Amino acid sequence: MPTRATILLFLTAWLAASPRVSGQELPFFGRLPDAEKNWKLREQGKYGDSSHQFHWVVRTNVLTGDVLSFAAHPFTPGEPRELSYLSDPAREIFPDGYPSFVAGPVVGPQQSRTGHSIRNGVVKLDWTDAAAKQHRSHEALEYTFVLEEERGTNRMAHGYALVFGDVAVYVQHTSTKPITGEIAHGMAMSLLYQHSRQKPATAQPSTPKSTK
């Protein structure tokens, strides 16, 4: 488990990396953290109706083909806010990096898939807010899984689920190669930092334009 000093050093270096691409707006959350230049917007959209909506943003790395996915949705009245309740949705929203409720890029015939959970538990993410001159801590659901296709491409994913009031936010890094949790962890920390710096997102977001 990285120390607070290590997390702060990594987050500072990550935010200072150059050049960077401006982050997109994720309804129910706000502006996403900026991305390094190799990460490009692949698509964004929403699913559901006025009673329950999922909004997502997907970026792809032009060098590696890796996928970085974000999603946000409000809790419905009476729905549990506990992070453990998000265990299944967290692993099911982006099985291959793309939202499961819309068709992602398909190459060749569809293959049967088997998911293997490697890590799934609640952790505390700690960081130092230099502007407020105080230490902060926020619980998150940390998860890792491998998705195997019968005769296709296997994938590995690291992700985090966060709760901000009545909204659940997810970030996931997915790759066809073995990966560490560094990128997902850095983005989760950046989401926490970004959230502490912005006004609460509106409960009724405007419809985003899809980009593919």
Side-chain angles (χ1 to χ4, degrees):
M1 181 69 65
T3 64
R4 178 179 293 165
T6 302
I7 292 172
L8 178 59
L9 179 62
F10 172 79
L11 182 59
T12 302
W14 193 89
L15 290 171
S18 62
R20 305 187 69 80
V21 178
S22 296
Q24 294 78 29
E25 288 287 324
L26 178 65
F28 297 120
F29 174 77
R31 186 171 177 269
L32 291 173
D34 294 346
E36 295 182 22
K37 66 174 183 178
N38 295 330
W39 292 99
K40 304 298 183 182
L41 176 64
R42 176 67 175 83
E43 65 177 68
Q44 61 186 119
K46 73 171 185 176
Y47 174 82
D49 54 30
S50 58
S51 63
H52 191 57
Q53 293 183 16
F54 277 84
H55 289 256
W56 72 84
V57 172
V58 175
R59 298 169 179 169
T60 52
N61 190 298
V62 297
L63 298 181
T64 65
D66 288 6
V67 182
L68 190 59
S69 318
F70 303 85
H73 69 83
F75 291 101
T76 57
E79 189 176 10
R81 267 65 169 169
E82 291 82 3
L83 285 166
S84 57
Y85 174 77
L86 302 178
S87 295
D88 289 338
R91 297 193 303 271
E92 294 170 357
I93 293 178
F94 300 114
D96 56 3
Y98 295 88
S100 58
F101 22 75
V102 297
V106 177
V107 179
Q110 288 284 72
Q111 305 288 339
S112 61
R113 296 172 168 181
T114 303
H116 304 278
S117 178
I118 298 174
R119 177 173 60 179
N120 184 57
V122 176
V123 298
K124 280 190 176 182
L125 301 180
D126 301 315
W127 79 102
T128 299
D129 188 333
K133 297 181 179 179
Q134 61 182 252
H135 296 303
R136 296 182 181 274
S137 180
H138 197 102
E139 288 192 337
L141 177 71
E142 180 182 57
Y143 64 93
T144 300
F145 67 86
V146 171
L147 187 70
E148 292 184 319
E149 291 186 345
E150 184 180 7
R151 295 182 302 276
T153 302
N154 298 333
R155 293 175 174 83
M156 185 175 191
H158 295 284
Y160 290 85
L162 303 159
V163 173
F164 299 115
D166 293 330
V167 175
V169 178
Y170 309 82
V171 57
Q172 179 178 306
H173 175 208
T174 310
S175 178
T176 57
K177 301 174 291 295
I179 53 175
T180 68
E182 183 178 350
I183 290 178
H185 181 268
M187 268 297 172
M189 296 298 297
S190 294
L191 285 173
L192 291 173
Y193 182 83
Q194 195 87 343
H195 181 263
S196 69
R197 290 289 178 269
Q198 61 190 19
K199 295 180 180 179
T202 175
Q204 297 293 333
S206 58
T207 302
K209 297 180 180 179
S210 295
T211 304
K212 295 187 177 180

